[in-house]
């Protein structure tokens, strides 16, 4: 039985988007176009740059090959440097602010900036709802999403009430506005910027919300101070809200876990815990284009989009599935993380390489074009002979910090080492650095992990 759309903020006359069943999940990549033959000599490459040749297609092809090689080679060169976070509990979200600072959000509802070189941490004050008693947020839910707008001038995350959307100005991190009016009734799990002033949030309450920021708000926000000298911020409401349609398979679990925006087609992908991928057109309102039943529907918690391949990647309990909404079939088989069923906890694309953060404390790297994991170099594998199958390249993260409390003793017998789920990772490609963070996977355990790989 096909899911039926439920109540939304606005009613519009439109044809109902079609749902695609699991039997039609396979897609085909677009046919590979023939590219001009490139001269592989570095001498030719430098000469053409020197004389300002107009054959940019040839140059871009050669530069693309060099860039692709660098992307494939980087993971095996990375070395870990632990980042100490004290007694914070589980890092759920992170983003680079500049070459040395990363902003993070935790399960204990802490928003902070860490200097990955010095280790210095600065906690940021969270914005409070205008009427806090209207929405009593549950404890131990935290900040699940942090996103920067395209121009890197605004940062979006959760407020003191995790149901509310908080906007800060960059680089000062002054508060701009708080979306606590007529918005979500449960935690915000995901945020995606559509433009510099438009963004979408996805919530545990089974809704997606479209927000538009008035430029006058953040142009003047620095000057707004109360009598005590504290910043004063605006309180805003969403332009539109839509509910995830109910399904016959899991009608009560429509929690929106992740969003990913395709800027080329101006379309937004979302995944919900009922095992569906939804495609939206965010204009002045949210229009749902289609919904697709995912082949693996347990713990679908992360989503990313690849511009180069026009593919969405979905992380689930033990697999990464690929979705191309424009193709009837595709030939990219799902990849299995094979990490003890602890799940895929974070995903990111760069060109055709997808980085997978698992619930077992490891990073894996998958080449979508070759449809295989990156492998260790032969010289890194002891006693290997030519032609021997090489091992999958895996970066194993350090121990982090684990609180030795009652639940740790009672539920897990005081096990000293516990693998950390890698809930978030983000690249700084200009500096060739990777920030990774998370904490113990069981909800009753309190701890954290953070590391800089460079």
């Amino acid at each position: 039985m096909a899911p039926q759309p439920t109540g939304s903020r606005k009613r519009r006359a439109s044809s109902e988007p079609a749902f695609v069943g699991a039997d039609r999940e396979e897609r085909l990549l677009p046919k590979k176009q023939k590219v001009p033959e490139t001269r592989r000599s570095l001498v030719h490459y430098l000469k053409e740059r020197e004389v300002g040749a107009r054959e940019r297609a040839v140059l871009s092809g050669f530069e693309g090959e060099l860039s692709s090689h660098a992307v494939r080679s980087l993971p095996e060169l990375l070395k870990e440097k632990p980042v100490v976070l004290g007694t914070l509990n589980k890092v759920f979200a992170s983003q680079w602010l500049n070459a040395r600072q990363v902003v993070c959000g935790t399960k204990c509802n802490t928003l902070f900036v860490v200097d990955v070189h010095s280790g210095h941490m600065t906690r940021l004050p969270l914005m409070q709802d205008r009427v806090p008693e209207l929405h009593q947020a549950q404890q131990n839910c935290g900040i699940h999403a942090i996103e920067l707008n395209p121009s890197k001038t605004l940062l979006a995350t959760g407020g003191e009430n995790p149901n509310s959307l908080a906007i800060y100005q960059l680089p000062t991190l002054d508060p701009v506005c708080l979306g606590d009016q007529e918005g979500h009734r449960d935690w915000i799990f995901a945020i995606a910027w559509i433009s510099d002033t438009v963004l979408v949030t996805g919530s545990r309450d089974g809704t997606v919300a479209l927000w538009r920021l008035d430029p006058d708000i953040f142009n003047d926000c620095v000057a707004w101070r109360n009598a005590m000298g504290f910043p004063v911020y605006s309180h805003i409401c969403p332009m539109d809200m839509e509910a995830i349609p109910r399904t016959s398979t899991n009608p009560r679990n429509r929690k929106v876990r992740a969003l990913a925006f395709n800027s080329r087609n101006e379309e937004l992908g979302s995944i919900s815990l009922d095992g569906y991928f939804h495609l939206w057109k965010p204009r002045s309102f949210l229009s749902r284009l289609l919904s697709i039943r995912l082949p693996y529907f347990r713990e679908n918690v992360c989503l990313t989009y690849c511009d180069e391949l026009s593919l969405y990647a979905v992380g689930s309990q033990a697999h990464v599935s690929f979705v191309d909404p424009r193709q009837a079939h595709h030939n990219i088989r799902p990849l299995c993380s094979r990490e003890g069923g602890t799940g895929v906890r974070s995903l990111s694309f760069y060109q055709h390489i997808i980085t997978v953060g698992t619930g077992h404390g490891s990073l894996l790297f998958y080449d979508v074009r070759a449809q295989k994991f990156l492998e260790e170099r032969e010289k890194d594998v002891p006693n290997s002979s030519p032609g021997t199958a090489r091992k999958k390249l895996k970066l194993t993260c350090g121990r982090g910090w684990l609180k030795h409390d009652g639940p740790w003793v009672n539920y897990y017998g005081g096990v000293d080492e516990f693998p950390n789920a890698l809930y978030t990772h983000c690249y700084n490609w200009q500096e060739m650095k990777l920030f990774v963070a998370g904490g113990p996977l069981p909800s009753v355990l309190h701890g954290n992990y953070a590391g800089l790989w460079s």
Side-chain angles (χ1 to χ4, degrees), residues 55-196:
E55 297 177 4
R56 297 304 179 191
V58 175
L59 291 178
S60 61
F62 189 79
E63 289 171 339
E65 290 181 15
L66 293 177
S67 177
S68 177
H69 177 73
V71 171
R72 292 195 306 270
S73 301
L74 177 63
E76 61 188 355
L77 304 176
L78 296 174
K79 302 298 180 184
E80 181 188 30
K81 174 191 172 185
V83 177
V84 179
L85 300 181
T87 59
L88 295 174
N89 189 23
K90 296 185 178 71
V91 181
F92 283 155
S94 64
Q95 290 290 339
W96 286 92
L97 293 178
N98 50 53
R100 60 186 299 157
Q101 289 183 313
V102 178
V103 60
C104 302
T106 71
K107 182 178 180 179
C108 54
N109 224 37
T110 301
L111 183 67
F112 67 94
V113 175
V114 59
D115 187 314
V116 295
H117 293 177
S118 67
H120 178 72
M121 290 174 53
T122 304
R123 298 197 182 200
L124 303 177
L126 298 178
M127 297 188 215
Q128 298 180 350
D129 287 4
R130 176 175 287 168
V131 187
E133 60 270 16
L134 289 182
H135 296 288
Q136 293 296 330
Q138 298 182 35
Q139 297 297 315
N140 300 322
C141 47
I143 296 171
H144 289 264
I146 299 174
E147 295 293 338
L148 277 58
N149 69 345
S151 65
K152 305 293 190 294
T153 55
L154 296 173
L155 179 149
T157 186
E160 184 178 73
N161 177 0
N163 305 356
S164 301
L165 170 68
I167 306 294
Y168 294 84
Q169 192 165 41
L170 294 176
T172 61
L173 288 168
D174 285 316
V176 175
C177 58
L178 184 68
D180 60 341
Q181 308 293 302
E182 304 177 19
H184 296 297
R185 301 184 306 276
D186 212 333
W187 317 339
I188 291 176
F189 272 147
I191 300 170
W193 287 92
I194 307 305
S195 69
D196 269 344

Side-chain angles (χ1 to χ4, degrees), residues 106-368:
T106 71
K107 182 178 180 179
C108 54
N109 224 37
T110 301
L111 183 67
F112 67 94
V113 175
V114 59
D115 187 314
V116 295
H117 293 177
S118 67
H120 178 72
M121 290 174 53
T122 304
R123 298 197 182 200
L124 303 177
L126 298 178
M127 297 188 215
Q128 298 180 350
D129 287 4
R130 176 175 287 168
V131 187
E133 60 270 16
L134 289 182
H135 296 288
Q136 293 296 330
Q138 298 182 35
Q139 297 297 315
N140 300 322
C141 47
I143 296 171
H144 289 264
I146 299 174
E147 295 293 338
L148 277 58
N149 69 345
S151 65
K152 305 293 190 294
T153 55
L154 296 173
L155 179 149
T157 186
E160 184 178 73
N161 177 0
N163 305 356
S164 301
L165 170 68
I167 306 294
Y168 294 84
Q169 192 165 41
L170 294 176
T172 61
L173 288 168
D174 285 316
V176 175
C177 58
L178 184 68
D180 60 341
Q181 308 293 302
E182 304 177 19
H184 296 297
R185 301 184 306 276
D186 212 333
W187 317 339
I188 291 176
F189 272 147
I191 300 170
W193 287 92
I194 307 305
S195 69
D196 269 344
T197 56
V198 177
L199 68 163
V200 175
T201 51
S203 170
R204 192 170 180 260
D205 65 7
T207 64
V208 287
L210 179 69
W211 309 77
R212 185 182 298 276
L213 308 179
D214 183 349
D216 292 337
I217 294 177
F218 50 83
N219 286 337
D220 300 331
C221 72
V222 178
W224 295 356
R225 305 277 170 173
N226 62 13
M228 300 295 293
F230 296 113
V232 177
Y233 41 85
S234 301
H235 296 264
I236 62 173
C237 62
M239 292 180 59
D240 187 28
M241 288 186 72
E242 293 290 335
I244 296 296
R246 295 184 184 275
T247 67
S248 58
T249 54
N250 198 351
R252 296 184 179 179
N253 198 4
R254 298 177 296 154
K255 301 170 184 175
V256 180
R257 284 308 310 259
L259 301 170
F261 183 57
N262 170 2
S263 58
R264 184 180 301 168
N265 293 336
E266 296 186 343
E267 294 172 347
L268 180 75
S270 72
I271 54 171
S272 48
L273 287 185
D274 58 359
Y276 274 85
F277 169 89
H278 305 277
L279 190 68
W280 307 84
K281 196 74 172 179
R283 295 190 181 95
S284 56
F285 54 85
L286 287 164
S287 173
R288 183 167 55 89
L289 302 178
L290 58 84
S291 297
I292 299 172
R293 176 69 166 169
L294 295 167
Y296 300 97
F297 47 85
R298 291 187 177 181
E299 299 184 35
N300 292 305
V301 296
C302 47
L303 175 71
T304 188
Y305 181 75
C306 176
D307 286 308
E308 185 171 310
L309 301 176
S310 301
L311 282 176
Y312 290 93
V314 181
S316 62
Q317 188 179 58
H319 295 83
V320 176
S321 311
F322 298 97
V323 178
D324 182 356
R326 298 300 172 192
Q327 299 293 327
H329 301 280
H330 70 70
N331 60 355
I332 299 183
R333 61 182 182 273
L335 65 95
C336 181
S337 71
R338 301 186 183 278
E339 291 293 302
T342 53
V344 176
R345 298 295 158 178
S346 57
L347 287 174
S348 69
F349 256 120
Y350 190 76
Q351 295 187 6
H352 54 281
I353 303 296
I354 187 167
T355 302
V356 181
T358 74
H360 208 68
S362 61
L363 290 165
L364 307 173
F365 307 90
Y366 189 78
D367 187 332
V368 179

